[in-house]
Amino acid sequence: MPHRHRHTRAVGAAAVAAAALLVAGLSGSASAGTAPADSAPTAAETLRTDAAPPALLRAMERDLGLDRQQAERRLANEADAGATAGRLRAALGADFAGAWVRGAESGTLTVATTDAADVAAIEAKGAVAKVVRHSLADLDAAKARIDRAAAERGGDATDAAVRYVDVRTNTVTVQATRPSAARALVDAAGVDAGAVRVEKAAEKPRPLYDLRGGEAYYINNSGRCSIGFPVTKGSQEGFATAGHCGRTGASTTGSNRVAQGTFQGSVFPGRDMAWVAVNSNWRATPYVSGAGGQNVQVTGSTQAPVGASVCRSGSTTGWHCGTVQQHNTSVTYPEGTISGVTRTTVCAEPGDSGGSYISGSQAQGVTSGGSGDCRTGGTTFFQPINPLLQNYGLTLKTTGDDGGPDDPPPGEGGTWAAGTVYQPGDTVTYGGATYRCIQGHQAYPGWEPPNVPALWQRV
């Protein structure tokens, strides 16, 4: 049973709840911000960018061409950009057309809108404004129609396997080994060709499991995957992983071949999510295994913006970093189509499936599949962690508590609840006031709406 560390969590000047992986996972990340005069924590403080371990910073330096100070500043800038983009998304409403960061230190946030009248409001928040033709909602709807057409074509859609909304080009992008297949798919969907960009792809993505031996965990004593984030469901401990790694009822053993647990739920294709309940010989620690086996904490699950740095750890290739390319991507594997995954520039190889993605100190998701390798480079997709937690009613294992949601402080009440997964636009009440969520996350004690303006906006 691994040694269990504890770390106090508080708001503002203190630390926030941390979540993590079990084995062969990822690492937390780092940089700090300065509190404003009213003592409300900055986004960097809320998301604990100062919790980045040296191993994650070294991986960012290696894979993103940064020095240590640039890596630290990048994490802090990305935290602040996510909060600013969330507030602008709420303010722009139907005009909003996406947001992304760029630059070695993610120092520039661009926010797109369909209405030129919004430019002043965007620039007032320190962001670059871009006026475009299509709103994010319209592009999402077009992509959904293309996905439905792909589902009707079944295995034939593997020639146009990857589909996503690219906010930077204001298009729905279809990656295809045969561009004619992509054009036929768009025609079948009845989508305006002017909103679609076809991109030639050299390879087809595939799930990243294999039947080779190695570290991590084994399914039915044969296939190998990487453990994702430790979770709890009530008093039951376990871990999140990829759905293609095993079906409900499949048994798992640890890297030491000791009996470990059983898949309690698994979805693949459609999505790529699963969770395993472990037996009493195993303990879900609030850490991930970093370089050299060091314990690394994760402090939350706030979704990183497009362009943000993201790092992955798996049982085959260890630590690698890259950037978030697109959210809400659809991929057609030989086994079928999955939707709602995030596309990244991080490399991965067979056996890394199920392993963890992290941005700063925020858990992002579990490895699904991809193309290429870590010698020549590649593209990977991860199943976001928040929908997985929500689907199975799970809570990320965090430092500072024993896994279960806490009751609100006496007299506060309201509809906000620790353990709940909130998406941008959700509203709650707390302490007699109403708040709107501006960044998707799972709520923790200490992250009550008045305490974390990076995540909630009073309305």
Side-chain angles (χ1 to χ4, degrees):
M1 184 183 305
H3 180 63
R4 187 163 187 262
H5 296 259
R6 296 189 65 82
H7 179 76
T8 303
R9 178 186 57 223
V11 176
V16 188
L21 307 181
L22 267 176
V23 181
L26 308 175
S27 142
S29 219
S31 191
T34 303
D38 63 1
S39 297
T42 65
E45 289 173 328
T46 295
L47 305 186
R48 285 304 312 277
T49 64
D50 64 342
L56 184 136
L57 294 172
R58 285 194 297 269
M60 290 178 65
E61 293 166 37
R62 177 194 67 202
D63 295 339
L64 299 178
L66 308 174
D67 61 31
R68 179 60 56 90
Q69 290 71 33
Q70 287 177 312
E72 292 174 343
R73 286 195 292 268
R74 179 165 185 148
L75 295 176
N77 286 341
E78 288 168 357
D80 292 335
T84 300
R87 295 186 186 102
L88 284 168
R89 178 174 187 162
L92 300 182
D95 296 343
F96 181 74
W100 59 95
V101 294
R102 59 184 173 87
E105 299 177 7
S106 294
T108 301
L109 169 67
T110 300
V111 176
T113 178
T114 57
D115 189 345
D118 296 329
V119 169
I122 293 171
E123 293 178 343
K125 293 293 186 181
V128 174
K130 184 174 182 179
V131 180
V132 296
R133 179 181 176 186
H134 308 288
S135 71
L136 182 59
D138 287 344
L139 292 175
D140 283 341
K143 175 183 166 293
R145 291 197 294 274
I146 295 172
D147 285 346
R148 286 193 292 271
E152 292 170 358
R153 290 172 175 247
D156 292 340
T158 58
D159 288 331
V162 179
R163 304 168 296 278
Y164 53 81
V165 171
D166 187 347
V167 295
R168 286 169 288 202
T169 61
N170 194 233
T171 62
V172 177
T173 297
V174 180
Q175 289 189 333
T177 53
R178 289 193 306 112
S180 59
R183 289 190 286 270
L185 191 61
V186 172
D187 289 343
V191 170
D192 176 11
V196 178
R197 180 170 61 98
V198 176
E199 189 175 278
K200 184 76 164 64
E203 298 179 312
K204 296 180 181 180
R206 82 284 187 198
L208 293 173
Y209 56 74
D210 71 359
L211 298 178
R212 298 173 299 167
E215 200 176 351
Y217 76 97
Y218 297 85
I219 305 93
N220 292 333
N221 291 312
S222 57
R224 172 171 64 88
C225 276
S226 300
I227 289 175
F229 294 89
V231 297
T232 58
K233 186 168 186 176
S235 61
Q236 177 64 58
E237 300 188 348
F239 60 86
T241 190
H244 74 261
C245 288
R247 297 304 184 195
T248 302
S251 63
T252 69
T253 54
S255 59
N256 54 6
R257 294 294 192 171
V258 171
Q260 182 188 66
T262 305
F263 276 80
Q264 301 299 299
S266 177
V267 178
F268 180 81
R271 304 301 290 267
D272 198 358
M273 58 174 67
W275 83 284
V276 174
V278 297
N279 61 42
S280 60
N281 292 325
W282 294 81
R283 197 81 179 267
T285 71
Y287 298 95
V288 303
S289 178
Q294 68 175 348
N295 285 329
V296 175
Q297 69 174 7
V298 179
T299 65
S301 61
T302 303
Q303 186 183 67
V306 169
S309 58
V310 66
C311 297
R312 177 199 57 75
S313 184
S315 61
T316 299
T317 59
W319 288 87
H320 289 276
C321 297
T323 58
V324 173
Q325 295 296 94
Q326 288 87 22
H327 296 300
N328 192 24
T329 299
S330 296
V331 185
T332 299
Y333 296 136
E335 297 86 344
T337 296
I338 61 169
S339 298
V341 293
T342 296
R343 179 174 176 262
T344 79
T345 64
V346 188
C347 69
E349 296 181 11
D352 287 328
S353 277
S356 323
Y357 276 79
I358 194 167
S359 182
S361 62
Q362 300 299 300
Q364 297 297 307
V366 298
T367 304
S368 174
S371 58
D373 56 43
C374 289
R375 293 174 297 280
T376 60
T379 297
T380 53
F381 308 91
F382 67 77
Q383 162 65 54
I385 189 66
N386 285 327
L388 189 157
L389 298 172
Q390 187 173 40
N391 188 62
Y392 295 118
L394 305 173
T395 300
L396 280 171
K397 187 68 176 178
T398 68
T399 57
D401 64 32
D402 293 319
D406 290 352
D407 293 328
E412 296 295 345
T415 60
W416 179 89
T420 301
V421 173
Y422 292 107
Q423 301 298 332
D426 289 348
T427 59
V428 299
T429 57
Y430 187 88
T434 300
Y435 295 85
R436 179 188 294 113
C437 177
I438 58 174
Q439 294 195 80
H441 64 284
Q442 183 171 49
Y444 303 105
W447 281 16
E448 294 81 8
N451 298 329
V452 283
L455 304 179
W456 292 99
Q457 184 178 58
R458 186 165 177 168
V459 295

